[in-house]
Amino acid sequence: MELESLYQEVILDHYKNPHHKGLSAESDIQVHHVNPSCGDEITLNLVLRDGGVQSVTWNGVGCSISQASSSIMSELVTGKPVDEAMRVLESFSELMASKGSQSGDEEVLEDAVALAGVSKFPARVKCALLGWMAFKDAVVQVNGREEDAR
Amino acid sequence: MELESLYQEVILDHYKNPHHKGLSAESDIQVHHVNPSCGDEITLNLVLRDGGVQSVTWNGVGCSISQASSSIMSELVTGKPVDEAMRVLESFSELMASKGSQSGDEEVLEDAVALAGVSKFPARVKCALLGWMAFKDAVVQVNGREEDAR
Amino acid sequence: MERVREDFPILSKVMRQGASLKYLDSGATSQKPIQVLDAERRFYTESNAAVHRGSHLLAEQASEAFESARQIIASFIGAEVDETIFTKSATEALNAIAYSFGNPGSGRLCLKPGDKVVVSEMEHHANLIPWQQLCKRTGATLAWFPITKDGRLDLSNLDEIVDASTKVVAITHQSNVLGTINPLEAIVERAHAVGAVVVLDACQSVPHMSVDVKQLGVDFLAFSGHKALGPTGIGILWGRAELLDLMEPYLFGGSMIESVTMENATWASAPRKFEAGVPNMAQAVGLAAAVNYMSDLGMDSIHKHELALTEHALNALNEISGLTIIGPNSMESRGGTISFTIEGIHPHDVGQVLDQDGIAVRTGHHCAWPLMRRFGVSGTTRASFYLYNTIAEIDALAEGIKNAQKFFKVN
Amino acid sequence: MERVREDFPILSKVMRQGASLKYLDSGATSQKPIQVLDAERRFYTESNAAVHRGSHLLAEQASEAFESARQIIASFIGAEVDETIFTKSATEALNAIAYSFGNPGSGRLCLKPGDKVVVSEMEHHANLIPWQQLCKRTGATLAWFPITKDGRLDLSNLDEIVDASTKVVAITHQSNVLGTINPLEAIVERAHAVGAVVVLDACQSVPHMSVDVKQLGVDFLAFSGHKALGPTGIGILWGRAELLDLMEPYLFGGSMIESVTMENATWASAPRKFEAGVPNMAQAVGLAAAVNYMSDLGMDSIHKHELALTEHALNALNEISGLTIIGPNSMESRGGTISFTIEGIHPHDVGQVLDQDGIAVRTGHHCAWPLMRRFGVSGTTRASFYLYNTIAEIDALAEGIKNAQKFFKVN
Ligand SMILES: Cc1ncc(COP(=O)(O)O)c(C=O)c1O
Ligand SMILES: Cc1ncc(COP(=O)(O)O)c(C=O)c1O
């Protein structure tokens, strides 16, 4: 049944017990993203240190897909050099755009491959991407500030 | 052939030799009407005297139907008491709205019955009515002024 | 009502995994009977030409088809034919009014600083944002009726909210989220007492019950064709003749003019004034066919059918534990739109599980985001009914919700 | 081109007195091939649902159909998909731009007193009155290129007319009256040199020749679906991404927002920002089918076919004494639209006689009233050709004109 391929156990686990949920007291930047078609929202705090992602914390309301995806994302990128985190993000975006034709590279995406089934449901792709896009935006904004400061 | 029933000899005669065309030097009122869908225009001068139509003169550009109809109208109403002129107008409007089902009362409409065929062509009805509506408007405006003066 | 389903080819479509379609999303857009599709096609294959502009036979026939469509739709809502304007949608109709009210050429209808526009907290964005923008342009202020916790307009402060400075009261006839049918009489009476005009968003009422503009006593009314069995790309703006007369148009171009120079232009009278360009002729003809379809069934029969479905649905849904109805939980003054939340499952996930069984519902904020905030939810699941729905489809909905609860282990 | 006529059922319609239809009025609206009608019907019977708002299968399929229509149409004019906006008509598209340019929220694109908008004396009312109104709202001034006596833009004062104060140049690609194809290069170059944007009214070019927005170098482009084999009720607004980004929307409602409170709203990005409400989905799908139909034939073949018809027509008409061509009387830079007057017969009467033989032409001012004044006529008779027209139809036109002259005894 397709439903199980969409909602894999990993997803339901992350949904029930999201990681890195709850905003850190301090951050380099805070971003707020919404999905205008459904009203789901995420607030994300990012701390970068020495070219790496020191911490990603978030809060928000959303469906199982968006919550699980944000949880998986924050697990994945934390501790990685920013470059590498962005490559993971690229890889995940590609998977989401694949309309069910890819299963995802487990080496790179780890738990996130469980979201491969989402790519078959165009209306849900945005849910899966909500947290990732917030993370990307946060990185871009911090880097932009540093450029400005130079 | 329908064409001859639309363009009767009477109409072509009035078109070639329109009556009362050329504006009088003086008038109680001058009105200007356009047919916005084709750009045809008429300017009409009206003189009322003792409750009767003393003179109707007009100028303008338009198709054979609008020119002939204005010519016939001015012939018909000149010299008539205003009430009676308005009844002729009513009768003509009714004929134009008849979609080809009426042939018109020759006692009342005289030459204007030649325009009966126009009622079968919805797009031409406005042409036939252009001069008549200008006349009606002129009468209404003069009467309005008199009311205001009272 | 039993035989209508045969007129809607899409209702026999096979969905995911062989499930049959249970279309419970008519609040978003309705399905179309074959009669509407045929009317549009007949227009294109027999009388397609630009209306109002030509003297050739096709142009005559096109004009005849277009203007009789107007007549049919006008009669359907008890309006005069020249008061009935074709727009592309209800959204356009509402924006058109708001633009006129911001144009100094509209005379006493034009708003100024100190004037007030009143809406409600249950408005669809289409009947909210145009007024926000109008207030921004003119310096007028926006006020609104709050909503009670059972999803009714709170009119307890009617006289304070609609005060002497109020120029416009813009309100929905039936909520597209809650199903609430609003009590117009008191509002219209108060609005007119202070000299305000009443704009009615009738998107969710005209398709479902008998609506007569004269009886309602409102001044403007808007609805969309596509929610009323009609084609996409058409809506209706109705306004009282004497107000349309005062109003400046908002779209400028061909067919709406009286005369034009390089520097200036004057306008034709309504409805032409508000229909710039070659109009949506085929869609007008299609909407007239839709209106005829509804009239043949009878709006009262349609309404009765929907009420029966709604009562059945309320009973079935109320039996599900963890389900909360957002909106009136009784049959009093409500139509066939039911919003609800399920404890522990996000609306998107509810919708996904239902979709698996061919049950099409809407999830999210339903273009009524402020209303969501009022109820402290990010969204709801909404089932909305129309003349082609059946009791069996509603039972499937209830069953589907229970499946979702099982799947997400919340019950 | 021979076999296309079979795709257009209306072309075999029997007119007054048994005459066959010779449809020479495609400049007003085109006929539609069966492929377009079938595409619309398929949308309604297989995937009708409100786009962008639902997670159920039908809504997914509707969104897919709607968005691939956008992709097809964008490619057809060499545009990016997110720059391609569905409106109800070219008229709406042009008004939308004008509204944005009058909204302070549009920043540097908003006009102010002292700014100038340049049009031409050959504009359709749809590309004239919106700019008149914009100037009225903002205090900007309107200027225009005059027209030479053979129906060309007089660009001799280009640099004075398009001066440093010019913010917008809005011009037609091909005149709907004269058939003139305007030389855009010089205009675009000058406009950009002074920092003005160029708005192209492509209503009469996109259906008839290959148009590539990037190659033309313009900033905005508008055309209507119904003149391009597509359904009524749809038009396209194209604009450069960076300009659309700056622009405020002009219709407010569902689907165009990012977030909404009772007091405020923020916008989604283009194209969504400019498409408030449930869009004209079926018409978008129909227009994509029309575009595919044209692409399959090839725009160059279509254009060549029309040029052959035009050359034949000019020759035939020039042989008729008492006939005057209004517009270019040669094949240089002109398309298949020919306006003319007949000495001693009013256009209405010419049209009537032609109609008697099933020949459908347009008569009057063609929504270009200032142009009529320029040529000192109250109206013209206009024949306009498209891919389905034949040499025989043009011969019938010439014959018909001679009959009219006989009937009215002017020759
Ligand atoms: C040159 C030109 N511009 C604009 C328009 C307006 O197009 P529409 O009426 O489809 O909005 C037309 C057609 O009427 C036209 O020929
Ligand atoms: C209550 C209400 N008002 C306005 C609208 C807007 O209608 P449309 O999108 O057809 O313009 C809708 C539907 O989306 C609605 O339900």
Side-chain angles (χ1 to χ4, degrees):
Chain A
M1 186 203 182
E2 278 186 65
L3 216 50
E4 271 94 21
S5 89
L6 175 63
Y7 294 113
Q8 301 204 1
E9 273 308 319
V10 190
I11 297 179
L12 296 179
D13 287 349
H14 275 278
Y15 176 43
K16 301 261 149 151
N17 300 298
H19 301 191
H20 301 269
K21 192 166 176 178
L23 293 167
S24 56
E26 279 165 35
S27 67
D28 297 349
I29 192 148
Q30 180 168 94
V31 296
H32 180 76
H33 275 217
V34 293
N35 181 341
S37 61
C38 64
D40 286 353
E41 329 192 18
I42 188 169
T43 305
L44 181 145
N45 278 359
L46 172 69
V47 182
L48 298 182
R49 190 66 36 92
D50 305 329
V53 179
Q54 175 167 316
S55 115
V56 171
T57 52
W58 58 278
N59 220 333
V61 289
C63 60
S64 58
I65 303 291
S66 83
Q67 297 281 300
S69 187
S70 297
S71 169
I72 293 171
M73 178 276 297
S74 41
E75 276 288 288
L76 260 173
V77 299
T78 303
K80 285 208 168 64
V82 172
D83 292 4
E84 200 184 321
M86 292 313 255
R87 275 199 297 278
V88 175
L89 188 149
E90 289 276 293
S91 169
F92 185 72
S93 298
E94 199 183 293
L95 177 60
M96 286 300 103
S98 74
K99 299 190 175 177
S101 69
Q102 292 180 23
S103 55
D105 182 347
E106 207 167 340
E107 295 276 292
V108 178
L109 292 175
E110 303 180 23
D111 270 7
V113 296
L115 289 155
V118 174
S119 70
K120 273 183 266 174
F121 297 88
R124 305 305 296 276
V125 167
K126 277 192 185 167
C127 309
L129 287 174
L130 185 63
W132 295 75
M133 290 300 119
F135 170 69
K136 184 180 180 181
D137 184 22
V139 170
V140 168
Q141 286 195 40
V142 173
N143 287 345
R145 260 194 232 151
E146 285 169 8
E147 302 247 319
D148 287 348
R150 257 174 235 146
Chain B
M1 184 202 183
E2 276 187 67
L3 216 50
E4 271 93 21
S5 89
L6 175 64
Y7 293 114
Q8 301 203 2
E9 273 308 318
V10 190
I11 296 178
L12 296 180
D13 287 348
H14 275 278
Y15 176 43
K16 302 262 150 153
N17 301 296
H19 301 190
H20 302 268
K21 192 167 175 178
L23 293 167
S24 56
E26 279 168 33
S27 67
D28 296 351
I29 192 150
Q30 181 168 93
V31 297
H32 180 77
H33 274 218
V34 293
N35 181 341
S37 61
C38 63
D40 288 351
E41 328 193 19
I42 188 169
T43 306
L44 182 146
N45 278 359
L46 172 68
V47 182
L48 298 182
R49 192 62 42 89
D50 306 329
V53 179
Q54 177 166 314
S55 116
V56 171
T57 52
W58 57 279
N59 220 333
V61 290
C63 62
S64 58
I65 303 291
S66 83
Q67 297 280 299
S69 188
S70 298
S71 171
I72 293 171
M73 177 275 297
S74 41
E75 274 288 289
L76 260 172
V77 300
T78 303
K80 286 210 167 62
V82 171
D83 292 5
E84 202 182 321
M86 293 311 256
R87 276 198 297 277
V88 176
L89 189 150
E90 289 275 295
S91 169
F92 185 73
S93 298
E94 199 181 292
L95 177 60
M96 287 301 101
S98 74
K99 299 189 175 175
S101 69
Q102 292 179 23
S103 55
D105 183 346
E106 206 168 339
E107 296 274 294
V108 179
L109 292 175
E110 304 181 22
D111 271 8
V113 296
L115 290 155
V118 174
S119 71
K120 274 180 265 174
F121 297 89
R124 304 305 296 275
V125 167
K126 277 191 184 169
C127 309
L129 286 174
L130 184 64
W132 295 76
M133 289 301 118
F135 170 69
K136 184 179 179 182
D137 184 21
V139 170
V140 168
Q141 287 195 40
V142 174
N143 286 344
R145 263 194 232 150
E146 284 170 8
E147 302 247 319
D148 287 349
R150 253 173 238 145
Chain C
M1 290 302 146
E2 293 84 48
R3 276 199 305 253
V4 300
R5 288 179 70 88
E6 290 166 19
D7 293 330
F8 295 80
I10 203 170
L11 296 181
S12 39
K13 183 172 160 139
V14 176
M15 309 303 285
R16 292 190 210 280
Q17 306 179 108
S20 67
L21 173 62
K22 290 128 214 140
Y23 188 73
L24 302 179
D25 194 17
S26 296
T29 198
S30 75
Q31 298 304 338
K32 331 294 176 198
I34 202 83
Q35 288 84 344
V36 167
L37 308 186
D38 287 347
E40 273 208 81
R41 178 174 287 241
R42 213 175 310 118
F43 176 82
Y44 285 129
T45 57
E46 293 179 13
S47 45
N48 178 64
V51 292
H52 304 315
R53 295 187 185 178
S55 48
H56 60 77
L57 180 62
L58 275 188
E60 263 176 28
Q61 293 176 339
S63 302
E64 167 72 20
F66 183 62
E67 291 304 329
S68 30
R70 193 193 304 279
Q71 179 66 68
I72 288 165
I73 296 161
S75 310
F76 184 65
I77 56 169
E80 299 301 319
V81 64
D82 285 346
E83 296 173 334
T84 306
I85 294 158
F86 289 114
T87 64
K88 73 170 175 178
S89 61
T91 300
E92 190 195 356
L94 293 163
N95 278 276
I97 306 171
Y99 271 114
S100 273
F101 289 1
N103 190 326
S106 300
R108 68 171 173 83
L109 292 176
C110 183
L111 299 202
K112 47 184 193 320
D115 287 346
K116 198 201 254 187
V117 176
V118 174
V119 297
S120 89
E121 216 177 344
M122 65 164 79
E123 296 312 313
H124 187 280
H125 294 161
N127 197 32
L128 170 62
I129 314 181
W131 305 114
Q132 291 179 348
Q133 291 287 318
L134 172 63
C135 288
K136 215 162 143 179
R137 280 196 300 277
T138 59
T141 55
L142 189 72
W144 53 89
F145 300 119
I147 306 300
T148 66
K149 78 178 190 320
D150 56 340
R152 305 286 180 183
L153 284 186
D154 178 353
L155 295 179
S156 56
N157 293 319
L158 175 59
D159 289 0
E160 277 131 83
I161 294 174
V162 181
D163 62 12
S165 71
T166 306
K167 292 288 142 58
V168 182
V169 179
I171 193 99
T172 192
H173 198 181
Q174 176 176 322
S175 162
N176 68 311
V177 179
L178 312 168
T180 315
I181 297 174
N182 285 324
L184 295 178
E185 243 176 89
I187 298 172
V188 170
E189 195 187 336
R190 175 64 187 164
H192 287 171
V194 301
V197 298
V198 178
V199 177
L200 190 68
D201 177 351
C203 281
Q204 300 288 346
S205 58
V206 163
H208 303 288
M209 61 178 93
S210 165
V211 167
D212 182 305
V213 294
K214 299 271 161 61
Q215 262 170 34
L216 293 176
V218 297
D219 303 290
F220 295 93
L221 176 145
F223 73 94
S224 343
H226 71 91
K227 292 185 205 276
L229 308 184
T232 60
I234 189 147
I236 294 292
L237 164 58
W238 169 83
R240 283 186 195 282
E242 61 273 24
L243 297 172
L244 295 179
D245 247 15
L246 292 173
M247 283 161 65
E248 282 289 297
Y250 91 106
L251 278 188
F252 306 94
S255 297
M256 52 75 72
I257 54 96
E258 187 188 60
S259 99
V260 182
T261 64
M262 282 310 289
E263 280 161 312
N264 229 321
T266 57
W267 318 136
S269 53
R272 208 77 76 247
K273 173 163 70 166
F274 299 100
E275 292 177 357
V278 173
N280 39 6
M281 305 176 291
Q283 292 74 39
V285 167
L287 181 54
V291 156
N292 281 338
Y293 188 90
M294 290 188 278
S295 297
D296 285 352
L297 289 173
M299 289 314 293
D300 291 339
S301 312
I302 293 172
H303 193 53
K304 234 176 84 187
H305 174 74
E306 292 179 22
L307 289 182
L309 295 175
T310 308
E311 185 155 25
H312 187 82
L314 282 178
N315 290 338
L317 295 180
N318 276 315
E319 272 176 20
I320 300 174
S321 72
L323 185 151
T324 307
I325 304 278
I326 307 285
N329 199 352
S330 79
M331 288 302 294
E332 202 200 316
S333 299
R334 69 128 57 240
T337 293
I338 305 181
S339 266
F340 55 87
T341 56
I342 309 283
E343 214 185 307
I345 321 183
H346 187 277
H348 247 178
D349 294 318
V350 177
Q352 192 80 48
V353 175
L354 293 176
D355 184 43
Q356 212 58 28
D357 293 331
I359 304 165
V361 295
R362 186 120 310 212
T363 63
H365 56 60
H366 316 292
C367 300
W369 213 328
L371 185 63
M372 296 297 111
R373 283 202 200 84
R374 159 65 185 85
F375 282 97
V377 296
S378 75
T380 73
T381 303
R382 181 189 77 182
S384 51
F385 313 134
Y386 208 180
L387 48 84
Y388 37 65
N389 289 121
T390 64
I391 295 284
E393 290 175 321
I394 288 166
D395 291 339
L397 169 67
E399 211 45 50
I401 295 168
K402 289 178 208 155
N403 287 341
Q405 291 178 317
K406 252 177 251 145
F407 186 82
F408 284 99
K409 308 194 176 73
V410 295
N411 238 354
Chain D
M1 289 300 147
E2 294 83 48
R3 276 200 306 255
V4 299
R5 289 180 70 87
E6 289 166 21
D7 293 331
F8 295 80
I10 202 170
L11 295 181
S12 40
K13 182 170 159 141
V14 177
M15 309 302 285
R16 293 191 209 281
Q17 309 179 102
S20 67
L21 173 61
K22 288 126 216 143
Y23 187 74
L24 302 179
D25 195 17
S26 296
T29 199
S30 75
Q31 298 305 337
K32 331 294 175 198
I34 203 82
Q35 288 83 344
V36 167
L37 309 185
D38 286 348
E40 273 208 79
R41 178 174 288 241
R42 211 175 311 118
F43 177 82
Y44 284 129
T45 56
E46 293 179 14
S47 44
N48 179 64
V51 292
H52 304 315
R53 294 186 186 180
S55 49
H56 59 77
L57 180 61
L58 275 187
E60 262 176 29
Q61 292 176 337
S63 302
E64 166 72 20
F66 184 62
E67 292 305 330
S68 33
R70 192 192 305 279
Q71 179 65 70
I72 289 165
I73 296 162
S75 309
F76 183 64
I77 56 168
E80 299 301 319
V81 64
D82 285 346
E83 297 174 334
T84 306
I85 295 158
F86 289 114
T87 64
K88 72 170 174 176
S89 61
T91 300
E92 189 195 357
L94 293 164
N95 278 276
I97 306 171
Y99 271 114
S100 273
F101 290 2
N103 190 326
S106 301
R108 68 171 173 84
L109 292 176
C110 183
L111 300 201
K112 48 184 193 318
D115 288 345
K116 199 202 254 186
V117 176
V118 173
V119 297
S120 89
E121 216 177 344
M122 66 164 81
E123 297 313 312
H124 187 281
H125 294 161
N127 197 32
L128 169 63
I129 315 181
W131 305 113
Q132 291 179 348
Q133 292 286 318
L134 172 63
C135 287
K136 216 163 141 178
R137 280 197 298 277
T138 58
T141 57
L142 189 71
W144 53 89
F145 300 119
I147 306 300
T148 66
K149 79 178 190 321
D150 56 338
R152 304 286 180 183
L153 284 186
D154 178 353
L155 295 179
S156 55
N157 294 319
L158 174 59
D159 289 0
E160 277 129 84
I161 294 174
V162 181
D163 62 11
S165 71
T166 306
K167 291 287 144 57
V168 183
V169 178
I171 193 96
T172 190
H173 198 181
Q174 176 176 322
S175 162
N176 68 311
V177 178
L178 312 167
T180 315
I181 297 174
N182 286 324
L184 295 177
E185 241 176 89
I187 299 172
V188 170
E189 195 186 334
R190 175 65 187 164
H192 287 171
V194 301
V197 298
V198 178
V199 177
L200 190 69
D201 176 351
C203 280
Q204 300 288 345
S205 59
V206 163
H208 302 288
M209 60 177 93
S210 164
V211 167
D212 182 304
V213 293
K214 299 270 161 64
Q215 262 169 34
L216 292 176
V218 298
D219 304 290
F220 295 94
L221 177 144
F223 73 95
S224 344
H226 70 92
K227 293 184 205 276
L229 307 184
T232 61
I234 187 144
I236 294 292
L237 165 58
W238 169 81
R240 283 186 194 283
E242 61 273 25
L243 297 172
L244 294 179
D245 247 15
L246 291 173
M247 283 161 65
E248 282 289 297
Y250 91 108
L251 279 188
F252 306 94
S255 298
M256 51 76 71
I257 54 95
E258 187 189 64
S259 98
V260 182
T261 65
M262 281 310 287
E263 281 161 312
N264 229 322
T266 57
W267 319 135
S269 53
R272 207 76 77 245
K273 173 164 72 166
F274 298 100
E275 292 177 357
V278 174
N280 39 6
M281 305 176 290
Q283 291 76 38
V285 167
L287 180 54
V291 156
N292 282 338
Y293 189 90
M294 290 189 279
S295 297
D296 285 351
L297 290 172
M299 288 315 291
D300 290 338
S301 311
I302 293 173
H303 193 53
K304 232 175 86 187
H305 174 75
E306 292 179 24
L307 289 183
L309 296 175
T310 307
E311 186 156 24
H312 187 82
L314 281 178
N315 289 336
L317 295 180
N318 275 315
E319 273 176 19
I320 300 175
S321 71
L323 184 150
T324 307
I325 304 280
I326 307 284
N329 199 349
S330 79
M331 288 302 294
E332 202 200 317
S333 298
R334 68 127 57 238
T337 293
I338 306 182
S339 267
F340 56 87
T341 57
I342 309 283
E343 214 184 306
I345 321 183
H346 187 278
H348 248 180
D349 294 318
V350 177
Q352 192 80 49
V353 175
L354 294 176
D355 185 41
Q356 213 58 27
D357 294 331
I359 303 164
V361 295
R362 186 119 310 211
T363 63
H365 55 57
H366 315 294
C367 299
W369 214 329
L371 185 64
M372 296 297 111
R373 283 201 200 86
R374 159 66 186 84
F375 282 97
V377 297
S378 75
T380 72
T381 302
R382 180 189 76 181
S384 52
F385 313 133
Y386 208 180
L387 48 85
Y388 37 67
N389 288 123
T390 64
I391 294 283
E393 290 176 321
I394 288 167
D395 291 339
L397 168 67
E399 212 45 52
I401 295 169
K402 290 177 205 156
N403 287 340
Q405 291 179 317
K406 255 177 246 144
F407 186 81
F408 284 99
K409 308 193 178 70
V410 295
N411 239 352

